[in-house]
Amino acid sequence: MALMTGEQYVESIKKMNMQIYMFGEKVASAVDNPILRPSLNSVKATYDLAQMPEYEDLMTATSSLTGEKINRFTHLHQGTDDLIKKVKMQRLLGQKTASCFQRCVGMDAFNAVYSTAYETDKKFGTKYFENFVEYLKYVQTNDLVVDGAMTDPKGDRSLSPSKQADPDLYLRVVERRADGVVVRGAKAHQTGICNSHEVLVMPTIAMGPEDEDYAIAFSVPVDAEGVLMIIGRQSCDTRKLEGSQIDVGNSEFGGMEALVVFEDVFVPNDRLFLNGETEFAGMMVERFAGYHRQSYGGCKVGVGDVLIGAAALIADYNGAQKASHVKDKLIEMTHLNETLFSCGIACSAEGHKLEAGNYIIDLLLANVCKQNITRFPYEIARLAEDIAGGLVVTAPSEKDLRDPKIGKYVDKYFKGINRLKVLRLIENLTLGTAAVGYRTESMHGAGSPQAQRIVIGRQANFNAKKELAKSIAKIEG
């Protein structure tokens, strides 16, 4: 079975015995929880769309490992065409869900770990590449969701992992056995973890020889013994408990994040993809970050399409659609959104083949893409709020609209239910639960702004540019 249906995916998550905690209580089932279910629906969309013939080219691919038809989210990029289709697929899903659909981190991790394991084996004669190939075959054949886990809590950022006062602030190996290792620590900001089958752990920074115990990459099932999840709060999250479809803004889809604790978790040898080879930790981090910064040129653009549409729609409802300044703001929102998409496509089109055989994006352009992502969605959101007006944050509740006594006033003075629905959608995307994925994640996801500027500085090749200037100016030496 290489492609699950959406319903089969939901049933597969139901069968897992995850340790999930939220609001100080254990969650009986992520599938049935009203706060978490919208995030599951977003992942389910990646399965549903893969079943539709009109999206087959974007949503599926042919596995380079098995030759079978697979979901693109489990694919190793075999050329620049695959890299471009990845970005287009992400835009499509952003348009369909207006939220984070949570499988991108795993896909980006696959491609980073695959090539890094190959090069690690080449130098040290290890068997990480063989391990990972067999693991990815398993993932592809069973069409699994894999959570990519990179970000450690970190503690004192001025100190290396092994120098921390609390050694667990970076995930580490605490015991080495003949049949595997035992790890302890945590990974923060884990998007989609309770909607995943597996978690693929990677180092979070480049490391020195003294950090050997922290240079670890592996995968385990998310319901493995010792793994527990603490769900993070989102703005307006408890609105999902109120039984209101309108007030939520996006009642069907959403995202989720969690702190994932690894309390002495056993990892068998065949699930190890890096284990102490510190000099390759930085390579894995840089490659993953590059792929994930490319991803934002697709997913954030798709959500931006929805927000631009909502802004245009509320202008219609407000009777302001012909105002020249409104038209200009919608044009500016579109200009910014398509600039982001252009960056995602450009870094994909300029990709190249790695030694392992899969393709990587142009790192400079991917980091330029993400640097723009840290800015443009904020301006798009600001312009959407500008067009929408103050009612986006002062509108009465759906209960007021439905009330037999006061509902007629809400309907009369705020011009009906559809106007309120669009206002709540704009609120959801700019201030509510979806703002986690559209705004703050745009700033800090895949590394905060300075992380991209460091890579841009490294990749800029200023010396070559100096030589160009010398040549034109006829400067010798």
Side-chain angles (χ1 to χ4, degrees):
M1 180 180 68
L3 286 175
M4 275 199 283
T5 66
E7 290 303 323
Q8 288 171 330
Y9 158 70
V10 172
E11 289 302 312
S12 71
I13 295 296
K14 274 185 181 179
K15 294 175 183 177
M16 302 196 72
N17 183 31
M18 302 183 204
Q19 306 301 305
I20 305 171
Y21 293 84
M22 183 170 61
F23 302 151
E25 297 179 355
K26 188 174 182 182
V27 176
S29 169
V31 173
D32 300 321
N33 185 278
I35 288 182
L36 298 176
R37 180 58 195 239
S39 68
L40 183 86
N41 290 341
S42 293
V43 182
K44 179 176 177 290
T46 68
Y47 288 90
D48 290 336
L49 267 64
Q51 297 288 329
M52 300 179 186
E54 62 267 37
Y55 301 127
E56 181 180 18
D57 187 51
L58 290 184
M59 294 300 306
T60 67
T62 300
S63 170
S64 58
L65 304 179
T66 68
E68 298 295 318
K69 182 180 178 181
I70 58 171
N71 195 296
R72 188 171 294 278
F73 279 104
T74 67
H75 188 46
L76 295 169
H77 311 305
Q78 298 301 298
T80 55
D81 186 55
D82 275 341
L83 292 169
I84 290 169
K85 285 180 179 178
K86 170 197 169 186
V87 173
K88 291 182 176 180
M89 171 184 70
Q90 291 165 318
R91 184 173 191 172
L92 171 68
L93 279 156
Q95 292 170 340
K96 295 292 186 181
T97 66
S99 66
C100 177
F101 34 91
Q102 303 155 66
R103 291 185 78 177
C104 305
V105 187
M107 169 177 52
D108 295 335
F110 295 150
N111 281 275
V113 174
Y114 179 82
S115 61
T116 305
Y118 181 90
E119 294 182 41
T120 307
D121 285 2
K122 183 179 177 181
K123 179 164 185 177
F124 291 107
T126 45
K127 295 184 177 180
Y128 302 135
F129 184 71
E130 178 184 331
N131 287 353
F132 190 74
V133 167
E134 290 307 308
Y135 170 70
L136 191 54
K137 285 180 182 178
Y138 164 72
V139 169
Q140 290 180 345
T141 301
N142 293 281
D143 200 6
L144 302 181
V145 178
V146 177
D147 177 88
M150 177 165 279
T151 305
D152 294 86
K154 295 188 178 75
D156 186 341
R157 268 68 166 175
S158 69
L159 300 175
S160 68
S162 57
K163 298 295 190 295
Q164 296 291 324
D166 183 342
D168 296 339
L169 291 177
Y170 287 79
L171 189 144
R172 65 193 177 108
V173 176
V174 294
E175 182 185 353
R176 298 183 186 278
R177 296 168 20 181
D179 56 346
V181 300
V182 177
V183 299
R184 183 187 305 156
K187 291 290 181 177
H189 318 306
Q190 289 314 117
T191 301
I193 182 72
C194 70
N195 304 316
S196 302
H197 303 97
E198 296 264 338
V199 55
L200 174 55
V201 171
M202 300 164 283
T204 193
I205 57 172
M207 296 181 182
E210 71 278 7
D211 299 319
E212 180 179 342
D213 287 339
Y214 297 86
I216 182 77
F218 64 87
S219 188
V220 292
V222 294
D223 58 356
E225 185 177 356
V227 177
L228 67 90
M229 311 163 200
I230 305 170
I231 305 297
R233 292 299 305 266
Q234 295 177 331
S235 176
C236 307
D237 52 7
T238 52
R239 288 191 188 185
K240 298 173 187 176
L241 302 175
E242 297 173 1
S244 168
Q245 185 181 77
I246 294 176
D247 290 350
V248 172
N250 182 351
S251 60
E252 184 174 0
F253 300 110
M256 62 75 56
E257 300 77 31
L259 174 69
V260 182
V261 178
F262 295 79
E263 191 63 32
D264 294 346
V265 176
F266 174 68
V267 183
N269 284 327
D270 63 357
R271 287 295 193 93
L272 292 172
F273 315 128
L274 189 73
N275 185 18
E277 294 79 13
T278 54
E279 66 184 270
F280 285 94
M283 175 186 288
M284 190 176 290
V285 171
E286 183 176 77
R287 289 181 179 177
F288 168 78
Y291 284 121
H292 206 45
R293 289 164 190 173
Q294 169 214 22
S295 287
Y296 282 24
C299 63
K300 299 297 178 277
V301 176
V303 178
D305 287 328
V306 176
L307 183 54
I308 293 167
L313 198 55
I314 198 62
D316 289 346
Y317 291 145
N318 288 343
Q321 69 271 29
K322 294 182 180 179
S324 60
H325 72 93
V326 170
K327 290 180 180 178
D328 190 61
K329 287 164 186 169
L330 290 169
I331 289 169
E332 177 63 8
M333 293 166 78
T334 302
H335 159 242
L336 294 172
N337 208 45
E338 297 303 333
T339 299
L340 298 175
F341 184 58
S342 299
C343 289
I345 294 297
C347 70
S348 304
E350 290 294 306
H352 64 274
K353 192 175 186 178
L354 294 166
E355 283 189 70
N358 62 325
Y359 271 63
I360 192 168
I361 35 71
D362 182 282
L363 281 173
L364 174 59
L365 295 180
N367 280 273
V368 169
C369 177
K370 179 55 175 55
Q371 184 75 181
N372 286 335
I373 291 285
T374 67
R375 303 172 184 177
F376 294 177
Y378 283 83
E379 180 62 8
I380 293 169
R382 187 188 72 83
L383 290 170
E385 292 176 30
D386 183 354
I387 293 170
L391 196 60
V392 76
V393 291
T394 66
S397 71
E398 182 177 357
K399 286 186 178 180
D400 293 317
L401 178 65
R402 306 294 187 190
D403 186 82
K405 182 177 180 179
I406 62 173
K408 62 183 179 182
Y409 298 117
V410 176
D411 183 68
K412 175 181 178 178
Y413 291 112
F414 293 143
K415 299 181 181 178
I417 190 170
N418 287 337
R419 186 165 180 251
L420 290 173
K421 284 181 176 180
V422 175
L423 287 165
R424 289 302 187 200
L425 176 58
I426 294 171
E427 181 194 36
N428 171 259
L429 290 166
T430 61
L431 301 167
T433 57
V436 174
Y438 187 62
R439 290 181 63 146
T440 309
E441 189 180 272
S442 290
M443 180 70 75
H444 290 291
S448 53
Q450 194 58 30
Q452 291 105 57
R453 299 187 77 81
I454 291 169
V455 179
I456 290 169
R458 264 203 322 258
Q459 297 282 328
N461 200 348
F462 292 116
N463 287 333
K465 290 177 172 59
K466 288 178 186 177
E467 292 303 316
L468 294 175
K470 284 181 179 180
S471 176
I472 296 298
K474 310 300 182 189
I475 296 173
E476 297 182 3

